[in-house]
Amino acid sequence: MKESGLEGYEFFAYISYCDQDAAFAKKLQRYLEHYKLPVLLSRQYPRTPRKLTPVFREDTPQSGALAKTKFLIPICSEAAAHVDEWGGSRVDAEVRDFVAVAPEVNRSRVIPIIFRQKDGARATACIPAAVKALDLLALDVLDKGYEQVCNQLVSRMVGIKPGVLWNRWLRKARRNMALA
């Protein structure tokens, strides 16, 4: 029987974002919840989950979701990195809380995505302090594009080399262009 990827978890991923990035977070949630690992890859990697559901997004009513989540996806933007009057941001606090649940395991399950609206914004200015402290490689939507970032995100979550999914996506896109 195929593993669900949720052993001991209620949610496959939790998307942490600030209010200004809500539209992007919703788009990312839809992408992940509708994603299915290609059948050939599913056969090649039998322990890999085929679906990445459910994905929690903050405005979905559910208490204690961080402790029940396998992966945390903080959307890092200038607004998310902005320090409020309490010394942090919601994204910053959720990263700290998620890692605190199980520091050795959860540190490697934080997959930050940099979401910059314009070229002028520096990527480093978009990263909240808690994410910087983890010293993780973030996926930058402006540099790589939405599709490639989503492919790399899925790759990290299911444990397949990023190039495998991206190359399949490129071949499919070229095939579709040739048919059109």
Side-chain angles (χ1 to χ4, degrees):
M1 183 173 148
K2 186 81 171 159
E3 290 185 31
S4 70
L6 283 176
E7 298 76 25
Y9 298 97
E10 189 173 324
F11 300 101
F12 201 86
Y14 180 109
I15 300 173
S16 176
Y17 62 97
C18 64
D19 293 338
Q20 293 88 329
D21 303 326
F24 178 75
K26 190 173 188 175
K27 180 180 177 180
L28 184 62
Q29 180 185 27
R30 270 193 315 272
Y31 179 92
L32 292 173
E33 287 186 334
H34 290 94
Y35 183 86
K36 287 184 184 170
L37 190 68
V39 174
L40 291 175
L41 286 179
S42 186
R43 289 181 188 146
Q44 188 177 351
Y45 299 94
R47 293 187 147 297
T48 302
R50 183 112 200 276
K51 293 182 176 185
L52 310 175
T53 57
V55 175
F56 179 84
R57 191 168 40 88
E58 287 176 358
D59 66 351
T60 313
Q62 176 72 33
S63 62
L66 276 175
K68 304 171 192 171
T69 302
K70 188 169 185 176
F71 291 97
L72 177 66
I73 305 166
I75 306 297
C76 303
S77 65
E78 289 180 275
H82 177 73
V83 177
D84 61 19
E85 61 270 14
W86 296 285
S89 71
R90 182 170 67 196
V91 174
D92 192 66
E94 288 172 344
V95 170
R96 290 181 201 281
D97 291 347
F98 180 75
V99 172
V101 171
E104 294 80 30
V105 176
N106 283 358
R107 185 185 187 289
S108 64
R109 291 186 175 165
V110 176
I111 307 172
I113 294 180
I114 299 173
F115 180 60
R116 297 181 284 163
Q117 298 286 347
K118 55 190 180 287
D119 265 334
R122 288 186 0 254
T124 54
C126 297
I127 302 174
V131 176
K132 281 181 185 173
L134 295 174
D135 196 30
L136 300 170
L137 180 62
L139 304 171
D140 192 338
V141 175
L142 191 61
D143 284 347
K144 297 184 184 264
Y146 179 74
E147 287 296 334
Q148 188 171 5
V149 164
C150 286
N151 271 277
Q152 289 182 347
L153 175 63
V154 170
S155 294
R156 287 189 191 181
M157 291 169 71
V158 299
I160 295 176
K161 290 182 183 178
V164 173
L165 287 177
W166 180 240
N167 290 336
R168 287 182 61 83
W169 185 87
L170 285 175
R171 282 193 304 271
K172 183 178 178 182
R174 286 184 192 124
R175 217 174 16 250
N176 289 343
M177 288 175 118
L179 292 173

